[in-house]
Amino acid sequence: MAYLRYTQNAKISGLKTKSFPVLFNSESQVNLLCLNYFLDLVQYSSISSLKTYAKHLLDFYSQFELETEYESIDMIDDEYLAAYKQSLLSRIDYENTENYVSQIMRSVLKYLKWLEDNNYVKNLIGDSAKYRIRIRLVKNGIRHHLIKKESKNKNISIAPRSEWIDVIKKYGPSCRRVRFRFELMIDWCKSAGLRTFEVCALSIDQLPTRATVIKAIENKKNVYMTLNVTKGGKSKEIPINPLLIKKTWDYIELSRHELVENLIKRANQKYEKYKDDRLIFLSEKTGRAILSTSFSNSIRQAYTSAVEAGDLTKDERVWAHGLRHNFVTNLLIGLDRNNIPRVESVARQSTRHGSIDAMEPYLTSRFNDTFE
């Protein structure tokens, strides 16, 4: 994935500057487009503003590098950006509001407009029908429906019950192998509290061995593993129920192994070579990482199907980030029952939230006696 570094001491336009952002791609090559963009912006923007824009574009490029259908930035369109925004909304914590996501989209659109204005791309973004991304040029900048601030429906913060989540599993993909993957990815969100993009980035090499897991099950203890892809970009060691790891190894050795064999055969028929990147959850179509947007959409489709079938009501809503919401609420209930001191602080550390305030939407559901 793309990553960001800051200079210790750079000389730009004759002036010494510290902490100038430099974006690299997954192959450790400098993103020259972003570099030129930042060099242009530094003439009239502060370093702190540049660092903010850099973080926004880091997320944008990190997501783009996971795509397989788009060879370059100039191939994206309004539909791609809409899916990207939905991805942001599905994986962020509640301290990041709709307004914050709109800020990211604004940074991305301004960057793409700069690319167009400086002839790095053609017919990508503009104010007429010939452009794939349609914007309106106004006095203070640009307008686009994806950067419009929207009021957030407060009902979505109600944590979905475990039985609701179990229902949507029945409405997952029909293919046996894909259904196994779908249910297991849900379990990683619900039982381990991972965000959707963190689940999609899980690697086989991160998992404790099966022998370690079996021993932990016998001793009735959790096992620990390190998350390499996280919201803050820093690795984090977290406790995991060994039964979830065992189920994951079962999936890897059966369903995933079967998929990889099919992908190798498919590649051989095209006189190509398939390289297994050892991610746990692979796309059946591409053999690469599953996009968090695709995972979120599959949960949404399962929920919609369950409502149409009458197994859930519209108010019994299950959505991607709601799985993590369920995990946090159950964690708080467990801590309360065991009379753990400073419950919110302990839960904040376990759930990797930046502050107690960030957990506010989770703090009341635990007092509902019917929550499971």
Side-chain angles (χ1 to χ4, degrees):
M1 297 179 67
Y3 62 94
L4 193 61
R5 293 289 183 269
Y6 300 96
T7 61
Q8 294 295 320
N9 196 359
K11 195 171 185 179
I12 301 172
S13 300
L15 299 175
K16 291 185 177 181
T17 304
K18 292 184 178 180
S19 299
F20 185 84
V22 181
L23 191 64
F24 293 81
N25 63 21
S26 58
E27 298 177 351
S28 299
Q29 298 172 328
V30 174
N31 186 317
L32 294 177
L33 292 178
C34 281
L35 178 60
N36 287 330
Y37 180 56
F38 297 150
L39 288 172
D40 191 11
L41 287 185
V42 77
Q43 301 177 43
Y44 50 88
S45 300
S46 66
I47 289 296
S48 61
S49 295
L50 276 185
K51 291 169 73 173
T52 298
Y53 302 147
K55 290 177 182 178
H56 294 172
L57 293 181
L58 169 64
D59 189 286
F60 174 69
Y61 270 103
S62 295
Q63 178 76 31
F64 183 79
E65 286 189 358
L66 298 176
E67 303 287 354
T68 57
E69 298 179 7
Y70 301 88
E71 296 180 359
S72 60
I73 290 294
D74 59 359
M75 295 176 64
I76 66 176
D77 52 20
D78 270 319
E79 184 177 350
Y80 176 88
L81 290 179
Y84 172 57
K85 181 176 182 179
Q86 184 57 44
S87 171
L88 289 170
L89 290 171
S90 68
R91 61 180 165 86
I92 60 174
D93 281 321
Y94 287 93
E95 69 267 33
N96 290 337
T97 62
E98 171 81 25
N99 183 38
Y100 177 69
V101 172
S102 295
Q103 291 175 26
I104 295 179
M105 299 307 301
R106 185 181 298 277
S107 295
V108 170
L109 288 166
K110 284 185 175 181
Y111 168 65
L112 297 177
K113 183 65 168 60
W114 181 87
L115 292 179
E116 186 79 46
D117 292 343
N118 289 274
N119 299 317
Y120 289 109
V121 295
K122 187 176 181 181
N123 296 334
L124 173 62
I125 181 169
D127 59 353
S128 70
K130 73 175 183 179
Y131 296 102
R132 289 184 294 282
I133 300 171
R134 186 78 176 269
I135 59 174
R136 284 181 57 200
L137 301 178
V138 294
K139 183 178 179 180
N140 296 325
I142 62 177
R143 287 185 180 176
H144 190 275
H145 68 278
L146 294 178
I147 55 178
K148 180 181 178 182
K149 298 178 183 179
E150 300 174 2
S151 60
K152 197 166 185 177
N153 182 357
K154 299 300 181 181
N155 291 331
I156 68 172
S157 64
I158 299 175
R161 305 302 195 259
S162 295
E163 62 265 27
W164 304 349
I165 298 171
D166 290 338
V167 168
I168 71 162
K169 286 184 177 181
K170 298 189 299 182
Y171 290 91
S174 57
C175 171
R176 170 190 55 82
R177 190 167 60 217
V178 182
R179 180 187 290 271
F180 191 177
R181 184 194 71 195
F182 175 70
E183 293 180 357
L184 185 56
M185 292 177 76
I186 286 177
D187 288 341
W188 273 95
C189 292
K190 176 182 176 294
S191 302
L194 270 63
R195 302 171 177 93
T196 53
F197 76 97
E198 293 172 339
V199 174
C200 292
L202 287 175
S203 169
I204 295 175
D205 299 327
Q206 292 175 253
L207 295 178
T209 65
R210 183 182 281 275
T212 298
V213 169
I214 297 300
K215 185 175 181 180
I217 293 173
E218 292 174 350
N219 295 329
K220 298 181 179 180
K221 292 183 178 180
N222 284 331
V223 292
Y224 284 81
M225 63 174 286
T226 301
L227 283 183
N228 297 321
V229 177
T230 64
K231 181 186 174 186
K234 296 181 179 180
S235 297
K236 181 72 175 180
E237 189 175 36
I238 61 171
I240 304 288
N241 187 317
L243 293 174
L244 177 60
I245 304 292
K246 180 180 180 299
K247 186 176 179 181
T248 303
W249 275 116
D250 292 341
Y251 166 79
I252 291 169
E253 294 169 358
L254 296 173
S255 296
R256 187 188 183 281
H257 177 73
E258 180 182 283
L259 170 60
V260 170
E261 285 191 334
N262 290 342
L263 290 167
I264 292 173
K265 290 179 181 179
R266 193 188 308 168
N268 289 340
Q269 291 174 353
K270 297 180 180 179
Y271 300 99
E272 297 174 350
K273 186 175 182 180
Y274 172 71
K275 182 180 179 181
D276 186 355
D277 56 14
R278 295 187 62 77
L279 290 177
I280 295 174
F281 302 112
L282 301 175
S283 165
E284 292 275 329
K285 182 178 180 181
T286 67
R288 304 303 174 199
I290 297 173
L291 298 180
S292 59
T293 49
S294 299
F295 179 35
S296 298
N297 288 338
S298 64
I299 293 173
R300 170 66 183 176
Q301 291 170 2
Y303 160 72
T304 301
S305 297
V307 172
E308 292 176 350
D311 282 350
L312 289 177
T313 69
K314 288 185 178 180
D315 292 329
E316 295 171 332
R317 185 169 179 265
V318 179
W319 73 106
H321 192 73
L323 304 176
R324 176 169 159 83
H325 199 154
N326 175 280
F327 167 79
V328 177
T329 303
N330 278 310
L331 174 63
L332 287 165
I333 291 173
L335 293 172
D336 285 335
R337 287 174 177 171
N338 287 281
N339 297 314
I340 302 298
R342 301 178 67 240
V343 169
E344 286 81 3
S345 295
V346 173
R348 183 185 71 81
Q349 293 293 331
S350 299
T351 58
R352 300 171 286 123
H353 282 89
S355 66
I356 296 295
D357 290 341
M359 295 187 62
E360 184 177 352
Y362 305 101
L363 299 181
T364 56
S365 292
R366 73 189 205 259
F367 299 118
N368 188 328
D369 292 337
T370 64
F371 187 88
E372 293 181 1

